[in-house]
Amino acid sequence: MSDSCGNSCNNTAQSTDQVTKVPDHGLVSTFEVTKMDCPSEESMIRMALENCQSLKAMDFDIPGRRLKVYHENGIEEIQQKLTNLNLGASLLETQQIDSEALTDAIRNASLEDSKEFKVLLWLLIINAVMFVIEFVVGVIAQSTGLLADSLDMFADAAVYATAIYAVGKSDQLKLKAAHLSGWLQVLLGLGALLEVLRRFIYGSDPVSTLMIGMGLIALVANVTCLMLIAKKKDSGAHMKASWIFSANDVIANTGVILAGVLVMITGSALPDLIIGLVIVAFVLNGARRILQIKS
């Protein structure tokens, strides 16, 4: 899911100065970011660009994989930082806008950030708590599906927590924080992958009732996230993306429940191993993207 939760506040520290002192005109540059498909990538971009002196505001269209950057002066520094993220960013166009349009863009970004922060903070809390609970139950139930799904919760929470920590920090500290969350995901993901392989070789006996029960609880948690986002999912691209991100987590939860039902019906551990392998692949791919971030 991930929240993308704290990435909504990354522009807040700049907003006061930006609104009170706006130049006669500004620039808006539109980028295509081909690998920006969830709030995790938005969080990475916000962290990478936070300290750009010429940056004034950003407008994300994650479903359309577009990013509008409102700025002064040249685009070179912003373009270089986006390129270093390895998300397939390419500059489509740069246009000049008047001071009124620039002021409106800054003000709108600041207002949306403050409105969304509390919602996104709750998403962080829910994901962090569910990671701990689902991981413990996954160990007890001997279910790789639950273990992998808990890592998906961790991945979402880690991105949001990193974004919160990164506010106001130097580029070097932000990079270290992001890479730390990425390496934690890698270690946990590889651990889950080894567990899948170990249980495939030596056999396992997942407890289907615990799989189904915990899967339902995780499903309720992610549906709750959807309900929290529901009132704001049409307020901007970021919240739309958060809605999509949580909806994808619901699909993963449904997969765990289905695997539990198949384990119960067939008496085989194979459905649990397959769903665990699929979710681990998604977690490791997310970690790979984070570790590709450069200063």
Side-chain angles (χ1 to χ4, degrees):
M1 168 175 13
S2 157
D3 197 346
S4 46
C5 178
N7 46 4
S8 60
C9 65
N10 285 23
N11 287 334
T12 304
Q14 301 176 3
S15 61
T16 302
D17 292 338
Q18 291 169 338
V19 172
T20 56
K21 185 179 180 181
V22 179
D24 293 336
H25 66 273
L27 300 169
V28 55
S29 295
T30 303
F31 288 87
E32 180 182 28
V33 189
T34 58
K35 297 180 182 179
M36 182 176 68
D37 54 14
C38 72
S40 296
E41 284 78 36
E42 177 181 343
S43 179
M44 294 178 199
I45 291 171
R46 287 184 181 273
M47 285 189 288
L49 299 185
E50 182 187 7
N51 289 338
C52 289
Q53 295 300 315
S54 64
L55 178 67
K56 295 302 178 183
M58 289 179 282
D59 182 12
F60 289 85
D61 177 10
I62 296 180
R65 289 171 170 75
R66 291 290 190 276
L67 167 65
K68 286 186 177 181
V69 179
Y70 297 85
H71 60 100
E72 299 178 81
N73 306 321
I75 191 63
E76 291 78 12
E77 180 187 10
I78 294 173
Q79 188 173 12
Q80 184 60 52
K81 286 181 177 292
L82 287 174
T83 299
N84 288 343
L85 289 174
N86 294 314
L87 293 177
S90 58
L91 179 63
L92 299 180
E93 63 176 359
T94 297
Q95 297 179 330
Q96 183 170 309
I97 56 176
D98 58 30
S99 60
E100 183 178 354
L102 182 59
T103 300
D104 288 342
I106 295 170
R107 183 181 295 113
N108 290 337
S110 178
L111 288 174
E112 286 305 312
D113 284 349
S114 62
K115 290 178 181 178
E116 294 166 5
F117 177 71
K118 289 183 179 179
V119 172
L120 296 173
L121 180 60
W122 275 109
L123 299 184
L124 168 61
I125 294 171
I126 290 171
N127 277 276
V129 171
M130 285 305 303
F131 158 66
V132 175
I133 295 174
E134 196 169 13
F135 185 85
V136 172
V137 175
V139 172
I140 296 173
Q142 301 183 49
S143 169
T144 57
L146 287 178
L147 289 174
D149 197 43
S150 73
L151 299 186
D152 187 39
M153 296 282 192
F154 172 84
D156 296 348
V159 169
Y160 303 148
T162 300
I164 291 176
Y165 169 80
V167 176
K169 302 295 192 301
S170 68
D171 287 343
Q172 185 177 12
L173 283 177
K174 287 190 294 185
L175 182 64
K176 288 181 178 179
H179 281 185
L180 176 60
S181 70
W183 282 116
L184 285 174
Q185 289 180 46
V186 168
L187 291 175
L188 291 173
L190 290 178
L193 179 60
L194 290 174
E195 186 66 5
V196 171
L197 295 176
R198 185 185 72 82
R199 293 184 181 186
F200 181 80
I201 295 172
Y202 296 103
S204 64
D205 187 20
V207 182
S208 59
T209 53
L210 283 178
M211 287 181 64
I212 296 171
M214 191 65 238
L216 287 171
I217 293 173
L219 182 61
V220 169
N222 278 310
V223 169
T224 300
C225 291
L226 288 176
M227 292 175 64
L228 287 171
I229 302 170
K231 293 182 179 180
K232 298 197 65 61
K233 71 183 179 74
D234 295 323
S235 64
H238 170 70
M239 297 309 289
K240 287 180 182 178
S242 295
W243 171 273
I244 294 170
F245 206 42
S246 293
N248 289 337
D249 289 341
V250 167
I251 295 173
N253 300 147
T254 304
V256 172
I257 296 170
L258 178 60
V261 172
L262 291 176
V263 169
M264 179 181 292
I265 294 174
T266 64
S268 169
L270 191 59
D272 176 57
L273 297 174
I274 292 174
I275 191 64
L277 190 61
V278 170
I279 299 175
V280 165
F282 280 108
V283 172
L284 289 176
N285 185 57
R288 178 188 62 81
R289 289 186 177 184
I290 291 174
L291 291 174
Q292 284 182 333
I293 298 176
K294 299 177 182 179
S295 59

